Amino acid sequence: MKKNHTVVIEFFLLGFGGLHGLQIPLFLLCLLIYALCLIGNLIILALVSSSHLLDSPMYFFLCHLSMCDMLLTTDIVPSLLHIILRNGRAMSFPECITQFQFFGATTGAECLLLTVMSYDRYLAICQPLSYTPVMDPRRRHLLVAASWGLSFGITLIIAVLMSRLNFCGENVIDHFFCDFVPILQLSCSDTRLLQSIDLILTAPVTLLPFMTIIVSYVCIAVVIMKIPTVTGRQKAFSTCSSHLTVVSIYYLSLIAIYMVPTTGRSMIALKILSLMYTVVIPFLNPLIYTLRNQEIKATFAKMVCLK
């Protein structure tokens, strides 16, 4: 009879381990960042939904990026806080797969939404006459629905395949959340096919969006450089500077984790990089968009004055 049941029914996440008195400061820091992340993104949602000044495709996409950031941090941070306080945490196999599902889906959705936002900026700067008819409400909703649906669908397929793996030995994950590679490293099944499937399925939500963003900004840079006045160039660049900053930070973190060879790199460095794009970047996104965007700052100031 073929055995298809796992012996391991739960995993133990080590987290950062050996903090030696830094548990409380790290716990408070992560809790503060998480709270500020939720507050910042909720403020963006409230501003965009209540102001006619922000009734444009760019801010519509920004709202969904904020929701994505809140889902990502909520999937990771509460468990992380428990791990920090308890020097680790036991997590059942279904819970671990579910955490991976939401982590992968929100990460993929963020990549796709950033790509949609770069396309929005490309149309606004390079094809201004086509911008309004192309980015009508129907097209905006289709782009957002495709971003969420594609990322959740792809990650669901991978999560289902992962749930069929056998785990019959070590159950300790040296990380603070259930990521793809740490889970596969513990499996006693042959994971080569799953790794190939993962590479094929994740390319449309990671590599292709990254290439699309690069092409979009090359076109944008060419058009901006042709503007005759310095003031005109600065005004055109200011409309996409916030998005370009977010894209740069986000993709640099992903490349550093998943594309740079891990040989000779410590696990603590990998965890810190993972902490960057799962906790810190979702906290920075609303700050970048509010501090560098005059329309959002004006709307926020108006709302505060009215209150």
Side-chain angles (χ1 to χ4, degrees):
M1 176 182 274
K2 184 178 178 180
K3 296 181 180 179
N4 58 2
H5 296 285
T6 62
V7 175
V8 175
I9 60 173
E10 68 176 17
F11 297 110
F12 188 82
L13 281 74
L14 290 179
F16 290 93
L19 291 173
H20 305 300
L22 296 176
Q23 287 172 284
I24 301 302
L26 183 59
F27 174 87
L28 294 176
L29 178 62
C30 290
L31 181 61
L32 177 63
I33 291 175
Y34 178 51
L36 292 176
C37 172
L38 293 181
I39 292 170
N41 283 295
L42 285 172
I43 287 174
I44 287 179
L45 291 174
L47 291 175
V48 174
S49 62
S50 63
S51 173
H52 294 294
L53 293 175
L54 305 179
D55 184 20
S56 68
M58 180 174 65
Y59 298 113
F60 174 75
F61 299 135
L62 178 59
C63 277
H64 284 270
L65 187 69
S66 293
M67 287 189 286
C68 191
D69 285 336
M70 289 191 290
L71 283 174
L72 175 60
T73 53
T74 301
D75 181 50
I76 300 296
V77 177
S79 175
L80 170 62
L81 295 175
H82 184 278
I83 289 171
I84 293 172
L85 280 184
R86 302 291 182 178
N87 286 316
R89 182 198 171 188
M91 185 179 290
S92 69
F93 182 67
E95 187 180 1
C96 192
I97 294 297
T98 301
Q99 186 186 54
F100 166 77
Q101 161 69 27
F102 278 93
F103 159 73
T106 50
T107 302
E110 183 133 354
C111 291
L112 292 173
L113 288 170
L114 289 172
T115 307
V116 169
M117 293 172 77
S118 72
Y119 176 61
D120 174 81
R121 292 299 84 205
Y122 163 78
L123 285 176
I125 295 174
C126 302
Q127 305 287 338
L129 297 179
S130 305
Y131 180 68
T132 301
V134 171
M135 279 297 176
D136 60 4
R138 179 175 175 274
R139 186 70 55 86
R140 299 179 216 170
H141 286 90
L142 282 175
L143 287 170
V144 165
S147 299
W148 285 106
L150 186 61
S151 58
F152 267 89
I154 287 174
T155 312
L156 181 61
I157 293 172
I158 297 171
V160 169
L161 294 174
M162 289 172 64
S163 67
R164 297 176 179 272
L165 295 174
N166 293 321
F167 297 88
C168 47
E170 184 66 45
N171 73 331
V172 176
I173 297 178
D174 190 9
H175 212 332
F176 60 87
F177 70 97
C178 294
D179 202 356
F180 181 73
V181 174
I183 295 176
L184 260 61
Q185 288 175 342
L186 297 182
S187 175
C188 51
S189 302
D190 186 352
T191 61
R192 287 175 294 181
L193 178 60
L194 179 53
Q195 292 181 59
S196 300
I197 293 173
D198 175 72
L199 184 63
I200 294 170
L201 291 180
T202 55
V205 295
T206 52
L207 295 178
L208 290 180
F210 183 54
M211 294 169 62
T212 303
I213 290 171
I214 291 176
V215 172
S216 298
Y217 273 104
V218 168
C219 295
I220 289 171
V222 170
V223 171
I224 288 177
M225 293 306 295
K226 291 181 180 179
I227 297 175
T229 64
V230 176
T231 304
R233 289 196 294 269
Q234 290 176 341
K235 185 177 180 180
F237 179 73
S238 67
T239 64
C240 55
S241 59
S242 298
H243 178 258
L244 185 58
T245 302
V246 170
V247 167
S248 301
I249 297 173
Y250 187 74
Y251 270 100
L252 282 174
S253 300
L254 288 181
I255 290 170
I257 293 171
Y258 294 108
M259 298 186 69
V260 175
T262 57
T263 305
R265 185 169 61 179
S266 67
M267 274 304 299
I268 191 66
L270 180 64
K271 293 173 188 177
I272 291 174
L273 286 171
S274 298
L275 200 65
M276 275 292 296
Y277 80 91
T278 56
V279 180
V280 178
I281 291 177
F283 156 70
L284 291 176
N285 284 354
L287 283 179
I288 293 170
Y289 276 105
T290 53
L291 293 177
R292 298 175 66 91
N293 189 294
Q294 297 300 324
E295 291 176 325
I296 289 183
K297 286 195 290 186
T299 304
F300 181 74
K302 184 178 179 181
M303 180 178 287
V304 170
C305 290
L306 288 174
K307 295 294 182 183

